[in-house]
Amino acid sequence: MIEIRQFGWSDYDAVVAVWAAAGREVVPRAELAAKLTRDPELFLVAETDADVAGVVMGTYDGRRGWILRLAVRPEHRRRGIAGQLVGELERRFRLLDCPRVNLLVMPDNEAGLRFWQALGYLPMPDVLCTKPM
Ligand SMILES: CC(C)(COP(=O)(O)OP(=O)(O)OC[C@H]1O[C@@H](n2cnc3c(N)ncnc32)[C@H](O)[C@@H]1OP(=O)(O)O)[C@@H](O)C(=O)NCCC(=O)NCCS
C-alpha cells in the first residue's frame, strides 16, 4: 500500500536516505526550509509500510512549475511509485492553474529520460546556464 502525501520535517532523514540511495544530491535543511515557506504542498513523499520509498519536489514561480529531485529507492522501482508521485504533483499544479511544467534530466540518464517520456515530458534543445549568487 502506497500513500502519497506532503513532506513533514520528521521525514527529512528518510528523504535524505532515498536521495542518497538514488545517487541524487541532497537538499540541505536550510535550503529546504526556505523552499517550504513558499509552496510546501508541492514537496511530496511516497510512504510504504511506514517507510519513505520515494520523493519529489515541485516548485511554482507563478508562471511555470518545476519538478526536482525525483527519486525512488532501488528496491521499490518499477511499481509505479514515481508515476504516482508525479501524478499527484501534476494534480496540485493544476489546482494552482499552472500552465506548463519543466524539469531537467542529465543526458546520460536513460532510465530517467524513458520515465519522463512515458509521462509525456519531451526534451527541448535549450542549454542550461547557471551562475552562483
Ligand atoms: C526514474 C525513477 C524515478 C523511476 O521510478 P519508478 O518508481 O521505478 O518509476 P515507475 O515505476 O513509475 O515507472 C513508470 C514508467 O516509466 C518508464 N520507466 C521507469 N524506469 C525505467 C527504466 N529503468 N527503464 C526504462 N523505462 C523506465 C516505464 O515506462 C515505466 O512503466 P512500466 O514499469 O510499466 O514499464 C527511478 O528509476 C529513480 O529514482 N532513478 C534515479 C533518480 C533519477 O534518475 N530521477 C529522475 C531524473 S530527474
Side-chain angles (χ1 to χ4, degrees):
M1 176 71 183
I2 293 157
E3 186 197 355
I4 308 295
R5 60 167 175 80
Q6 186 175 320
F7 166 87
W9 276 110
S10 58
D11 299 316
Y12 184 74
D13 290 343
V15 163
V16 167
V18 174
W19 280 329
R24 310 292 326 256
E25 215 176 300
V26 169
V27 180
R29 280 180 184 270
E31 254 183 55
L32 192 51
K35 179 270 183 297
L36 294 176
T37 62
R38 297 170 61 102
D39 38 23
E41 76 279 16
L42 300 181
F43 188 16
L44 305 178
V45 296
E47 187 176 308
T48 164
D49 301 328
D51 195 16
V52 174
V55 57
V56 69
M57 183 189 288
T59 64
Y60 182 50
D61 63 16
R63 184 171 169 272
R64 295 287 180 257
W66 285 87
I67 300 181
L68 305 150
R69 307 293 162 98
L70 172 67
V72 172
R73 274 185 173 279
E75 65 271 28
H76 290 294
R77 289 184 189 164
R78 300 309 284 267
R79 292 186 205 160
I81 293 178
Q84 287 187 53
L85 279 164
V86 173
E88 175 60 17
L89 184 55
E90 288 176 341
R91 191 185 72 79
R92 293 176 183 224
F93 279 135
R94 280 188 211 100
L95 289 175
L96 296 170
D97 288 327
C98 169
R100 179 170 285 277
V101 177
N102 297 330
L103 55 92
L104 297 165
V105 193
M106 295 302 279
D108 61 353
N109 184 352
E110 269 186 44
L113 283 165
R114 280 178 192 272
F115 169 78
W116 289 117
Q117 287 185 31
L119 267 66
Y121 288 80
L122 303 179
M124 298 283 288
D126 310 49
V127 174
L128 173 70
C129 300
T130 181
K131 179 181 175 181
M133 290 287 144

